[in-house]
Amino acid sequence: MVFPLEELVKYSSNIYEITVAASRRAYQLAKIEDPEIEQNDGKVVSLAARQLFDNKVTFKIEQQ
């Protein structure tokens, strides 16, 4: 799976927020054994981004 650049270009909210969310999700995916990772040739960043853009995983910004 290729990183979904077309989705990033169309994204209307804060690009920084979705980038940070994808980075954190990729870290989570790297720590677990998920069959989806193998189906994606071990590419956790593109898988994480795809999960966010497809709303399989959601994120929220916590105020400190």
Side-chain angles (χ1 to χ4, degrees):
M1 177 184 297
V2 177
F3 190 85
L5 289 176
E6 67 281 351
E7 297 289 335
L8 190 58
V9 169
K10 294 179 204 173
Y11 191 69
S12 61
S13 292
N14 189 325
I15 297 292
Y16 176 76
E17 289 176 357
I18 194 110
T19 304
V20 171
S23 174
R24 290 183 183 217
R25 179 61 180 156
Y27 177 78
Q28 291 173 341
L29 288 170
K31 294 291 184 182
I32 63 173
E33 292 183 24
D34 188 335
E36 247 186 303
I37 297 170
E38 284 193 28
Q39 293 171 353
N40 197 40
D41 297 325
K43 298 176 182 175
V44 293
V45 175
S46 61
L47 177 59
R50 177 62 54 208
Q51 287 178 346
L52 287 164
F53 288 125
D54 291 345
N55 292 318
K56 291 182 180 176
V57 175
T58 59
F59 69 96
K60 69 176 185 172
I61 305 301
E62 293 183 1
Q63 301 299 322
Q64 294 187 18

Short mmCIF file of all heavy atoms in Angstrom, two decimals:
data_model
loop_
_atom_site.label_atom_id
_atom_site.label_comp_id
_atom_site.label_asym_id
_atom_site.label_seq_id
_atom_site.Cartn_x
_atom_site.Cartn_y
_atom_site.Cartn_z
N MET A 1 0.85 -1.18 0.00
CA MET A 1 0.00 0.00 0.00
C MET A 1 0.89 1.24 0.00
O MET A 1 1.85 1.32 0.75
CB MET A 1 -0.90 -0.01 1.23
CG MET A 1 -1.77 1.20 1.36
SD MET A 1 -2.74 1.25 2.88
CE MET A 1 -3.77 -0.16 2.71
N VAL A 2 0.56 2.18 -0.82
CA VAL A 2 1.30 3.42 -0.92
C VAL A 2 0.67 4.43 0.04
O VAL A 2 -0.53 4.40 0.29
CB VAL A 2 1.23 3.94 -2.37
CG1 VAL A 2 1.92 5.27 -2.52
CG2 VAL A 2 1.82 2.92 -3.33
N PHE A 3 1.49 5.34 0.56
CA PHE A 3 0.96 6.37 1.44
C PHE A 3 -0.12 7.15 0.69
O PHE A 3 0.09 7.58 -0.44
CB PHE A 3 2.08 7.31 1.89
CG PHE A 3 1.65 8.25 2.98
CD1 PHE A 3 1.69 7.84 4.30
CD2 PHE A 3 1.20 9.51 2.69
CE1 PHE A 3 1.29 8.69 5.31
CE2 PHE A 3 0.79 10.36 3.69
CZ PHE A 3 0.84 9.96 5.01
N PRO A 4 -1.27 7.35 1.31
CA PRO A 4 -2.41 7.97 0.62
C PRO A 4 -2.28 9.48 0.48
O PRO A 4 -2.96 10.27 1.13
CB PRO A 4 -3.59 7.60 1.53
CG PRO A 4 -2.99 7.45 2.87
CD PRO A 4 -1.61 6.91 2.65
N LEU A 5 -1.39 9.93 -0.41
CA LEU A 5 -1.16 11.36 -0.60
C LEU A 5 -2.40 12.09 -1.11
O LEU A 5 -2.64 13.23 -0.74
CB LEU A 5 0.01 11.59 -1.57
CG LEU A 5 1.38 11.25 -1.01
CD1 LEU A 5 2.44 11.44 -2.09
CD2 LEU A 5 1.71 12.09 0.20
N GLU A 6 -3.18 11.42 -1.97
CA GLU A 6 -4.39 12.07 -2.49
C GLU A 6 -5.37 12.39 -1.36
O GLU A 6 -6.04 13.42 -1.39
CB GLU A 6 -5.06 11.21 -3.56
CG GLU A 6 -5.67 9.90 -3.08
CD GLU A 6 -4.67 8.76 -2.86
OE1 GLU A 6 -3.50 8.89 -3.23
OE2 GLU A 6 -5.08 7.74 -2.30
N GLU A 7 -5.42 11.54 -0.35
CA GLU A 7 -6.28 11.80 0.80
C GLU A 7 -5.73 12.97 1.63
O GLU A 7 -6.49 13.78 2.14
CB GLU A 7 -6.37 10.55 1.69
CG GLU A 7 -7.00 9.36 1.03
CD GLU A 7 -8.48 9.53 0.79
OE1 GLU A 7 -9.13 10.30 1.53
OE2 GLU A 7 -8.99 8.89 -0.13
N LEU A 8 -4.43 13.06 1.74
CA LEU A 8 -3.80 14.13 2.49
C LEU A 8 -4.04 15.47 1.81
O LEU A 8 -4.32 16.47 2.46
CB LEU A 8 -2.30 13.87 2.64
CG LEU A 8 -1.52 14.75 3.58
CD1 LEU A 8 -2.09 14.70 4.99
CD2 LEU A 8 -0.06 14.34 3.60
N VAL A 9 -3.98 15.49 0.49
CA VAL A 9 -4.23 16.72 -0.27
C VAL A 9 -5.67 17.18 -0.09
O VAL A 9 -5.95 18.37 0.06
CB VAL A 9 -3.90 16.52 -1.76
CG1 VAL A 9 -4.39 17.68 -2.60
CG2 VAL A 9 -2.41 16.31 -1.95
N LYS A 10 -6.61 16.24 -0.07
CA LYS A 10 -8.03 16.57 0.08
C LYS A 10 -8.42 16.90 1.52
O LYS A 10 -9.49 17.46 1.75
CB LYS A 10 -8.91 15.39 -0.38
CG LYS A 10 -8.81 15.08 -1.83
CD LYS A 10 -9.71 13.89 -2.13
CE LYS A 10 -9.29 13.14 -3.34
NZ LYS A 10 -10.06 11.91 -3.53
N TYR A 11 -7.56 16.55 2.48
CA TYR A 11 -7.90 16.70 3.89
C TYR A 11 -8.12 18.18 4.22
O TYR A 11 -7.26 19.03 3.95
CB TYR A 11 -6.78 16.12 4.75
CG TYR A 11 -7.13 15.99 6.20
CD1 TYR A 11 -8.08 15.07 6.62
CD2 TYR A 11 -6.52 16.78 7.16
CE1 TYR A 11 -8.40 14.94 7.95
CE2 TYR A 11 -6.84 16.66 8.49
CZ TYR A 11 -7.77 15.73 8.89
OH TYR A 11 -8.09 15.61 10.21
N SER A 12 -9.26 18.51 4.81
CA SER A 12 -9.61 19.91 5.03
C SER A 12 -9.29 20.42 6.44
O SER A 12 -9.32 21.62 6.67
CB SER A 12 -11.09 20.13 4.75
OG SER A 12 -11.87 19.33 5.62
N SER A 13 -8.98 19.54 7.36
CA SER A 13 -8.65 19.98 8.71
C SER A 13 -7.15 20.20 8.85
O SER A 13 -6.44 20.26 7.87
CB SER A 13 -9.14 18.95 9.72
OG SER A 13 -10.54 18.90 9.75
N ASN A 14 -6.69 20.27 10.07
CA ASN A 14 -5.30 20.56 10.37
C ASN A 14 -4.39 19.40 9.93
O ASN A 14 -4.47 18.31 10.47
CB ASN A 14 -5.18 20.81 11.88
CG ASN A 14 -3.84 21.34 12.28
OD1 ASN A 14 -2.81 20.98 11.72
ND2 ASN A 14 -3.84 22.20 13.28
N ILE A 15 -3.52 19.66 8.99
CA ILE A 15 -2.60 18.65 8.46
C ILE A 15 -1.64 18.19 9.55
O ILE A 15 -1.29 17.00 9.63
CB ILE A 15 -1.81 19.21 7.26
CG1 ILE A 15 -2.75 19.55 6.12
CG2 ILE A 15 -0.73 18.24 6.80
CD1 ILE A 15 -3.39 18.36 5.47
N TYR A 16 -1.19 19.10 10.40
CA TYR A 16 -0.26 18.75 11.47
C TYR A 16 -0.89 17.71 12.39
O TYR A 16 -0.24 16.74 12.77
CB TYR A 16 0.14 19.99 12.26
CG TYR A 16 1.02 19.68 13.44
CD1 TYR A 16 2.37 19.37 13.27
CD2 TYR A 16 0.50 19.66 14.74
CE1 TYR A 16 3.17 19.05 14.34
CE2 TYR A 16 1.31 19.35 15.81
CZ TYR A 16 2.64 19.06 15.61
OH TYR A 16 3.43 18.74 16.68
N GLU A 17 -2.15 17.91 12.75
CA GLU A 17 -2.82 16.98 13.67
C GLU A 17 -2.91 15.57 13.09
O GLU A 17 -2.63 14.60 13.78
CB GLU A 17 -4.22 17.49 14.00
CG GLU A 17 -4.22 18.71 14.88
CD GLU A 17 -5.61 19.26 15.12
OE1 GLU A 17 -6.59 18.74 14.55
OE2 GLU A 17 -5.72 20.22 15.89
N ILE A 18 -3.30 15.45 11.83
CA ILE A 18 -3.43 14.11 11.23
C ILE A 18 -2.06 13.47 11.05
O ILE A 18 -1.91 12.26 11.16
CB ILE A 18 -4.24 14.12 9.92
CG1 ILE A 18 -4.64 12.71 9.52
CG2 ILE A 18 -3.48 14.73 8.79
CD1 ILE A 18 -6.07 12.40 9.62
N THR A 19 -1.03 14.28 10.81
CA THR A 19 0.32 13.76 10.69
C THR A 19 0.81 13.19 12.01
O THR A 19 1.38 12.10 12.06
CB THR A 19 1.29 14.85 10.19
OG1 THR A 19 0.79 15.37 8.95
CG2 THR A 19 2.69 14.32 10.00
N VAL A 20 0.57 13.91 13.09
CA VAL A 20 0.95 13.44 14.42
C VAL A 20 0.14 12.18 14.77
O VAL A 20 0.70 11.22 15.30
CB VAL A 20 0.75 14.54 15.48
CG1 VAL A 20 0.93 14.00 16.89
CG2 VAL A 20 1.73 15.68 15.24
N ALA A 21 -1.14 12.19 14.46
CA ALA A 21 -1.98 11.01 14.74
C ALA A 21 -1.48 9.79 13.96
O ALA A 21 -1.42 8.69 14.51
CB ALA A 21 -3.44 11.31 14.40
N ALA A 22 -1.11 9.98 12.71
CA ALA A 22 -0.59 8.86 11.90
C ALA A 22 0.73 8.36 12.46
O ALA A 22 0.98 7.15 12.51
CB ALA A 22 -0.42 9.29 10.45
N SER A 23 1.56 9.26 12.91
CA SER A 23 2.85 8.88 13.50
C SER A 23 2.65 8.05 14.77
O SER A 23 3.29 7.01 14.96
CB SER A 23 3.67 10.13 13.80
OG SER A 23 4.84 9.80 14.48
N ARG A 24 1.75 8.50 15.61
CA ARG A 24 1.48 7.77 16.86
C ARG A 24 0.81 6.42 16.59
O ARG A 24 1.11 5.43 17.24
CB ARG A 24 0.62 8.61 17.79
CG ARG A 24 1.41 9.78 18.33
CD ARG A 24 0.62 10.57 19.32
NE ARG A 24 1.41 11.72 19.73
CZ ARG A 24 1.42 12.19 20.94
NH1 ARG A 24 0.67 11.65 21.88
NH2 ARG A 24 2.16 13.23 21.24
N ARG A 25 -0.08 6.38 15.61
CA ARG A 25 -0.72 5.11 15.27
C ARG A 25 0.30 4.14 14.67
O ARG A 25 0.27 2.94 14.96
CB ARG A 25 -1.88 5.35 14.29
CG ARG A 25 -2.58 4.09 13.87
CD ARG A 25 -3.20 3.37 15.05
NE ARG A 25 -3.87 2.15 14.60
CZ ARG A 25 -4.11 1.11 15.35
NH1 ARG A 25 -3.77 1.12 16.63
NH2 ARG A 25 -4.70 0.05 14.88
N ALA A 26 1.21 4.65 13.86
CA ALA A 26 2.26 3.81 13.28
C ALA A 26 3.12 3.22 14.39
O ALA A 26 3.51 2.05 14.32
CB ALA A 26 3.11 4.61 12.31
N TYR A 27 3.41 4.00 15.40
CA TYR A 27 4.19 3.50 16.54
C TYR A 27 3.43 2.36 17.24
O TYR A 27 4.01 1.33 17.57
CB TYR A 27 4.47 4.63 17.53
CG TYR A 27 5.20 4.19 18.76
CD1 TYR A 27 6.57 3.95 18.72
CD2 TYR A 27 4.53 4.00 19.96
CE1 TYR A 27 7.25 3.54 19.86
CE2 TYR A 27 5.19 3.58 21.10
CZ TYR A 27 6.56 3.35 21.04
OH TYR A 27 7.22 2.93 22.16
N GLN A 28 2.12 2.55 17.43
CA GLN A 28 1.31 1.51 18.05
C GLN A 28 1.32 0.24 17.21
O GLN A 28 1.47 -0.86 17.73
CB GLN A 28 -0.14 1.97 18.22
CG GLN A 28 -0.34 3.05 19.24
CD GLN A 28 -1.77 3.58 19.22
OE1 GLN A 28 -2.50 3.41 18.25
NE2 GLN A 28 -2.16 4.22 20.31
N LEU A 29 1.15 0.40 15.91
CA LEU A 29 1.13 -0.76 15.01
C LEU A 29 2.47 -1.49 15.00
O LEU A 29 2.51 -2.71 14.89
CB LEU A 29 0.78 -0.32 13.58
CG LEU A 29 -0.66 0.10 13.35
CD1 LEU A 29 -0.80 0.74 11.97
CD2 LEU A 29 -1.60 -1.09 13.50
N ALA A 30 3.56 -0.75 15.13
CA ALA A 30 4.89 -1.36 15.13
C ALA A 30 5.10 -2.23 16.37
O ALA A 30 5.91 -3.15 16.35
CB ALA A 30 5.96 -0.29 15.06
N LYS A 31 4.36 -1.96 17.43
CA LYS A 31 4.52 -2.69 18.69
C LYS A 31 3.63 -3.93 18.79
O LYS A 31 3.83 -4.74 19.68
CB LYS A 31 4.21 -1.77 19.88
CG LYS A 31 5.18 -0.64 20.05
CD LYS A 31 6.50 -1.19 20.49
CE LYS A 31 7.49 -0.09 20.76
NZ LYS A 31 8.78 -0.62 21.14
N ILE A 32 2.66 -4.07 17.90
CA ILE A 32 1.76 -5.22 17.99
C ILE A 32 1.93 -6.12 16.77
O ILE A 32 2.52 -5.73 15.77
CB ILE A 32 0.28 -4.78 18.08
CG1 ILE A 32 -0.15 -4.01 16.83
CG2 ILE A 32 0.04 -3.97 19.33
CD1 ILE A 32 -1.62 -3.71 16.77
N GLU A 33 1.41 -7.32 16.88
CA GLU A 33 1.41 -8.24 15.74
C GLU A 33 0.00 -8.27 15.17
O GLU A 33 -0.89 -8.87 15.73
CB GLU A 33 1.85 -9.62 16.19
CG GLU A 33 3.29 -9.69 16.60
CD GLU A 33 3.74 -11.09 16.98
OE1 GLU A 33 3.11 -12.06 16.52
OE2 GLU A 33 4.71 -11.19 17.74
N ASP A 34 -0.16 -7.60 14.05
CA ASP A 34 -1.46 -7.49 13.41
C ASP A 34 -1.33 -8.03 11.98
O ASP A 34 -0.41 -7.64 11.26
CB ASP A 34 -1.89 -6.02 13.39
CG ASP A 34 -3.30 -5.81 12.91
OD1 ASP A 34 -3.82 -6.66 12.16
OD2 ASP A 34 -3.89 -4.78 13.27
N PRO A 35 -2.23 -8.91 11.56
CA PRO A 35 -2.13 -9.45 10.20
C PRO A 35 -2.21 -8.38 9.11
O PRO A 35 -1.69 -8.55 8.02
CB PRO A 35 -3.32 -10.41 10.10
CG PRO A 35 -3.94 -10.48 11.42
CD PRO A 35 -3.30 -9.48 12.32
N GLU A 36 -2.85 -7.26 9.42
CA GLU A 36 -2.95 -6.18 8.45
C GLU A 36 -1.58 -5.63 8.09
O GLU A 36 -1.36 -5.16 6.97
CB GLU A 36 -3.81 -5.03 9.01
CG GLU A 36 -5.12 -4.85 8.29
CD GLU A 36 -5.86 -3.64 8.77
OE1 GLU A 36 -6.14 -3.55 9.97
OE2 GLU A 36 -6.17 -2.78 7.93
N ILE A 37 -0.64 -5.69 9.04
CA ILE A 37 0.71 -5.18 8.79
C ILE A 37 1.40 -6.04 7.73
O ILE A 37 2.03 -5.51 6.83
CB ILE A 37 1.53 -5.15 10.10
CG1 ILE A 37 0.89 -4.18 11.10
CG2 ILE A 37 2.97 -4.75 9.83
CD1 ILE A 37 1.48 -4.26 12.49
N GLU A 38 1.26 -7.35 7.85
CA GLU A 38 1.88 -8.23 6.86
C GLU A 38 1.23 -8.07 5.49
O GLU A 38 1.91 -8.15 4.47
CB GLU A 38 1.80 -9.68 7.32
CG GLU A 38 2.81 -10.00 8.40
CD GLU A 38 2.95 -11.49 8.62
OE1 GLU A 38 2.72 -12.26 7.69
OE2 GLU A 38 3.30 -11.84 9.76
N GLN A 39 -0.06 -7.83 5.46
CA GLN A 39 -0.75 -7.62 4.19
C GLN A 39 -0.28 -6.33 3.52
O GLN A 39 -0.41 -6.16 2.32
CB GLN A 39 -2.27 -7.54 4.41
CG GLN A 39 -2.88 -8.85 4.86
CD GLN A 39 -4.33 -8.69 5.27
OE1 GLN A 39 -4.85 -7.57 5.33
NE2 GLN A 39 -4.97 -9.79 5.56
N ASN A 40 0.27 -5.43 4.33
CA ASN A 40 0.75 -4.14 3.83
C ASN A 40 2.28 -4.15 3.69
O ASN A 40 2.90 -3.10 3.73
CB ASN A 40 0.30 -3.02 4.77
CG ASN A 40 0.40 -1.66 4.16
OD1 ASN A 40 0.09 -1.48 3.00
ND2 ASN A 40 0.86 -0.69 4.92
N ASP A 41 2.86 -5.33 3.56
CA ASP A 41 4.31 -5.50 3.41
C ASP A 41 5.11 -4.87 4.54
O ASP A 41 6.22 -4.37 4.34
CB ASP A 41 4.79 -4.93 2.07
CG ASP A 41 4.19 -5.66 0.89
OD1 ASP A 41 3.99 -6.89 1.00
OD2 ASP A 41 3.91 -5.02 -0.14
N GLY A 42 4.54 -4.83 5.73
CA GLY A 42 5.24 -4.30 6.90
C GLY A 42 5.32 -2.79 6.98
O GLY A 42 6.01 -2.25 7.83
N LYS A 43 4.60 -2.10 6.13
CA LYS A 43 4.64 -0.63 6.09
C LYS A 43 3.59 -0.07 7.04
O LYS A 43 2.42 0.05 6.71
CB LYS A 43 4.41 -0.14 4.67
CG LYS A 43 5.50 -0.61 3.73
CD LYS A 43 5.21 -0.19 2.33
CE LYS A 43 6.29 -0.74 1.41
NZ LYS A 43 6.01 -0.46 0.01
N VAL A 44 4.03 0.29 8.23
CA VAL A 44 3.09 0.71 9.27
C VAL A 44 2.62 2.16 9.08
O VAL A 44 1.50 2.50 9.46
CB VAL A 44 3.66 0.51 10.69
CG1 VAL A 44 3.82 -0.95 11.00
CG2 VAL A 44 4.97 1.24 10.88
N VAL A 45 3.44 3.02 8.51
CA VAL A 45 3.05 4.43 8.36
C VAL A 45 1.90 4.57 7.37
O VAL A 45 0.91 5.25 7.64
CB VAL A 45 4.24 5.31 7.95
CG1 VAL A 45 3.80 6.74 7.68
CG2 VAL A 45 5.32 5.29 9.04
N SER A 46 2.01 3.92 6.22
CA SER A 46 0.93 4.02 5.25
C SER A 46 -0.33 3.33 5.75
O SER A 46 -1.45 3.80 5.50
CB SER A 46 1.35 3.45 3.89
OG SER A 46 1.69 2.09 4.00
N LEU A 47 -0.17 2.25 6.49
CA LEU A 47 -1.33 1.57 7.08
C LEU A 47 -2.01 2.47 8.11
O LEU A 47 -3.23 2.60 8.12
CB LEU A 47 -0.91 0.25 7.73
CG LEU A 47 -2.01 -0.53 8.44
CD1 LEU A 47 -3.16 -0.88 7.49
CD2 LEU A 47 -1.43 -1.80 9.06
N ALA A 48 -1.21 3.12 8.94
CA ALA A 48 -1.77 4.03 9.96
C ALA A 48 -2.52 5.18 9.30
O ALA A 48 -3.63 5.53 9.72
CB ALA A 48 -0.65 4.57 10.85
N ALA A 49 -1.93 5.77 8.27
CA ALA A 49 -2.60 6.87 7.57
C ALA A 49 -3.90 6.41 6.93
O ALA A 49 -4.93 7.09 7.02
CB ALA A 49 -1.66 7.46 6.52
N ARG A 50 -3.87 5.24 6.30
CA ARG A 50 -5.08 4.71 5.67
C ARG A 50 -6.18 4.47 6.70
O ARG A 50 -7.34 4.77 6.48
CB ARG A 50 -4.75 3.41 4.92
CG ARG A 50 -5.92 2.73 4.28
CD ARG A 50 -6.64 3.50 3.21
NE ARG A 50 -5.73 3.96 2.18
CZ ARG A 50 -5.95 5.05 1.44
NH1 ARG A 50 -7.04 5.77 1.63
NH2 ARG A 50 -5.10 5.43 0.54
N GLN A 51 -5.80 3.94 7.88
CA GLN A 51 -6.79 3.71 8.94
C GLN A 51 -7.42 5.02 9.39
O GLN A 51 -8.62 5.08 9.66
CB GLN A 51 -6.14 3.00 10.12
CG GLN A 51 -5.82 1.56 9.88
CD GLN A 51 -5.14 0.90 11.05
OE1 GLN A 51 -4.67 1.56 11.99
NE2 GLN A 51 -5.08 -0.42 11.02
N LEU A 52 -6.63 6.08 9.48
CA LEU A 52 -7.16 7.38 9.88
C LEU A 52 -8.08 7.96 8.82
O LEU A 52 -9.17 8.44 9.13
CB LEU A 52 -6.02 8.35 10.19
CG LEU A 52 -5.28 8.07 11.49
CD1 LEU A 52 -3.96 8.80 11.52
CD2 LEU A 52 -6.14 8.47 12.68
N PHE A 53 -7.65 7.91 7.56
CA PHE A 53 -8.47 8.48 6.50
C PHE A 53 -9.75 7.69 6.27
O PHE A 53 -10.77 8.26 5.87
CB PHE A 53 -7.67 8.60 5.20
CG PHE A 53 -6.64 9.69 5.23
CD1 PHE A 53 -5.31 9.41 4.96
CD2 PHE A 53 -6.99 10.99 5.54
CE1 PHE A 53 -4.35 10.41 4.99
CE2 PHE A 53 -6.03 12.00 5.58
CZ PHE A 53 -4.72 11.70 5.30
N ASP A 54 -9.73 6.39 6.52
CA ASP A 54 -10.92 5.56 6.37
C ASP A 54 -11.77 5.52 7.64
O ASP A 54 -12.76 4.79 7.71
CB ASP A 54 -10.53 4.12 6.00
CG ASP A 54 -9.97 4.02 4.60
OD1 ASP A 54 -10.14 4.98 3.82
OD2 ASP A 54 -9.35 2.99 4.28
N ASN A 55 -11.37 6.28 8.65
CA ASN A 55 -12.08 6.37 9.94
C ASN A 55 -12.17 5.03 10.66
O ASN A 55 -13.11 4.80 11.41
CB ASN A 55 -13.46 6.98 9.77
CG ASN A 55 -13.39 8.44 9.37
OD1 ASN A 55 -12.58 9.20 9.90
ND2 ASN A 55 -14.19 8.83 8.42
N LYS A 56 -11.21 4.14 10.44
CA LYS A 56 -11.14 2.90 11.21
C LYS A 56 -10.56 3.18 12.59
O LYS A 56 -10.80 2.44 13.52
CB LYS A 56 -10.28 1.87 10.48
CG LYS A 56 -10.91 1.34 9.23
CD LYS A 56 -10.03 0.29 8.58
CE LYS A 56 -10.67 -0.23 7.31
NZ LYS A 56 -9.79 -1.17 6.62
N VAL A 57 -9.77 4.25 12.66
CA VAL A 57 -9.16 4.70 13.90
C VAL A 57 -9.45 6.20 13.99
O VAL A 57 -9.33 6.92 13.00
CB VAL A 57 -7.63 4.48 13.90
CG1 VAL A 57 -6.99 5.06 15.13
CG2 VAL A 57 -7.31 3.00 13.77
N THR A 58 -9.85 6.67 15.14
CA THR A 58 -10.10 8.09 15.33
C THR A 58 -9.10 8.67 16.31
O THR A 58 -8.44 7.93 17.05
CB THR A 58 -11.53 8.35 15.85
OG1 THR A 58 -11.70 7.67 17.09
CG2 THR A 58 -12.57 7.86 14.85
N PHE A 59 -8.99 9.96 16.31
CA PHE A 59 -8.09 10.63 17.24
C PHE A 59 -8.75 11.89 17.75
O PHE A 59 -9.69 12.42 17.14
CB PHE A 59 -6.75 10.96 16.57
CG PHE A 59 -6.83 12.03 15.52
CD1 PHE A 59 -6.54 13.35 15.84
CD2 PHE A 59 -7.18 11.73 14.22
CE1 PHE A 59 -6.60 14.34 14.86
CE2 PHE A 59 -7.26 12.71 13.24
CZ PHE A 59 -6.97 14.01 13.57
N LYS A 60 -8.27 12.36 18.89
CA LYS A 60 -8.74 13.65 19.41
C LYS A 60 -7.56 14.34 20.05
O LYS A 60 -6.62 13.71 20.52
CB LYS A 60 -9.89 13.46 20.41
CG LYS A 60 -9.49 12.83 21.71
CD LYS A 60 -10.65 12.77 22.67
CE LYS A 60 -10.17 12.24 24.00
NZ LYS A 60 -11.17 12.32 25.02
N ILE A 61 -7.61 15.64 20.05
CA ILE A 61 -6.57 16.45 20.65
C ILE A 61 -6.97 16.74 22.09
O ILE A 61 -8.06 17.25 22.35
CB ILE A 61 -6.40 17.78 19.88
CG1 ILE A 61 -6.16 17.51 18.39
CG2 ILE A 61 -5.31 18.62 20.50
CD1 ILE A 61 -4.93 16.67 18.12
N GLU A 62 -6.10 16.38 23.00
CA GLU A 62 -6.36 16.62 24.41
C GLU A 62 -5.73 17.96 24.82
O GLU A 62 -4.57 18.21 24.53
CB GLU A 62 -5.79 15.51 25.27
CG GLU A 62 -6.50 14.20 25.05
CD GLU A 62 -5.99 13.10 25.97
OE1 GLU A 62 -5.09 13.37 26.80
OE2 GLU A 62 -6.49 11.98 25.85
N GLN A 63 -6.51 18.78 25.46
CA GLN A 63 -6.02 20.06 25.95
C GLN A 63 -5.34 19.86 27.29
O GLN A 63 -5.85 19.14 28.14
CB GLN A 63 -7.17 21.05 26.09
CG GLN A 63 -7.92 21.32 24.80
CD GLN A 63 -7.05 21.91 23.73
OE1 GLN A 63 -6.18 22.74 24.00
NE2 GLN A 63 -7.28 21.51 22.49
N GLN A 64 -4.22 20.49 27.46
CA GLN A 64 -3.49 20.35 28.74
C GLN A 64 -3.75 21.50 29.66
O GLN A 64 -4.02 22.56 29.34
CB GLN A 64 -2.00 20.24 28.47
CG GLN A 64 -1.67 18.98 27.74
CD GLN A 64 -0.17 18.80 27.62
OE1 GLN A 64 0.61 19.40 28.31
NE2 GLN A 64 0.20 17.94 26.71
#
